[in-house]
Amino acid sequence: MTDPAVPPQIKVLIADDEGLVRSGFKVLLDLEDDITVVAEATNGEDAVERARATRPDVVLMDIRMPGLDGIQATSRITATRGLEKTRILILTTYDTDDHVFDALQAGASGFLLKDAGPAELLHAVRVIAAGEALLAPRVTRRLIGQFTARRTAAAAADGRLAVLTAREREVVALVGRGLSNTEIAAELFMSPATARTHVSRSMTKLGARDRAQLVVIAYRTGLVSPDT
């Protein structure tokens, strides 16, 4: 029987080619009662292998690593059978990193700047582990909007939205604007549970891995624009 006094453990894999970064994250995370660092990786290839071996709940993934980079590693991990519940949190140094959008398309559940404070990092790990998306507020709208507009300017009439009801389109648009289920519920005059149901159904219909993928789809299809 599980001891109710012992919190469930969030297993974390840290993938970064800088030893000091890995060590700093490990010390911080291991101090928490509900988080355990199960492995470290120095490059993308190593991250994929260690993810397969340890089946972590969360991977802290640096984008820029030698050999197989963080984007390629993210794509491989999210496509691996048995790792469907593993969530990738992308770590980036710059808020203008154009590779972040590629990482989200590869299946990452969100991203965080490396200069985030300890409390922000711990919160991010717990949010990602719970199956939610985490997109750093100070860069998300500008970053995703900028690169989506640049690469997919002709995608506004994307036919994939045809599978959604009018209400589901409204909900996906609000997800793209960064609203939570509670905020969506208030905006559309429905209960949070109903909003959650619409989000879940939209994810299923659109083949979205998680909420982060809905954000990408909202921008790519023109439901949300950088100026919205």
Side-chain angles (χ1 to χ4, degrees), residues 164-218:
L164 301 181
T165 65
R167 178 61 88 186
E168 287 166 351
R169 288 192 184 207
E170 289 182 299
V171 169
V172 172
L174 293 176
V175 170
R177 284 169 47 192
L179 273 65
S180 67
N181 288 341
T182 300
E183 292 168 332
I184 291 172
E187 182 82 10
L188 298 179
F189 303 102
M190 61 177 63
S191 71
T194 300
R196 188 181 309 111
T197 296
H198 282 306
V199 171
S200 178
R201 287 177 178 170
S202 297
M203 286 172 54
T204 299
K205 289 182 178 181
L206 295 172
R209 177 181 171 86
D210 57 23
R211 204 180 186 92
Q213 300 302 295
L214 282 188
V215 173
V216 173
I217 291 170

Side-chain angles (χ1 to χ4, degrees), residues 49-177:
E49 291 304 315
R50 291 182 182 274
R52 288 171 176 165
T54 62
R55 296 176 181 266
D57 300 301
V58 176
V59 178
L60 297 182
M61 182 78 76
D62 186 25
I63 285 185
R64 302 172 185 273
M65 294 186 288
L68 194 72
D69 63 27
I71 297 171
Q72 295 168 310
T74 293
S75 183
R76 291 192 187 183
I77 290 172
T78 57
T80 297
R81 180 175 297 180
L83 296 180
E84 293 86 359
K85 294 184 178 181
T86 294
R87 296 291 180 255
I88 313 292
L89 178 61
I90 294 294
L91 299 169
T92 181
T93 305
Y94 307 105
D95 65 1
T96 56
D97 195 331
D98 60 341
H99 294 299
V100 168
F101 183 72
D102 292 327
L104 291 175
Q105 291 194 103
S109 293
F111 66 90
L112 190 70
L113 298 180
K114 282 189 175 180
D115 64 0
E120 192 174 355
L121 174 62
L122 293 172
H123 172 70
V125 168
R126 292 181 174 115
V127 167
I128 292 294
E132 296 295 328
L134 187 132
L135 304 173
R138 84 187 209 219
V139 297
T140 302
R141 289 168 61 81
R142 176 172 58 78
L143 184 65
I144 296 180
Q146 175 185 353
F147 290 100
T148 303
R150 178 187 302 174
R151 299 177 189 182
T152 61
D158 193 320
R160 69 193 306 184
L161 294 180
V163 300
L164 301 181
T165 65
R167 178 61 88 186
E168 287 166 351
R169 288 192 184 207
E170 289 182 299
V171 169
V172 172
L174 293 176
V175 170
R177 284 169 47 192

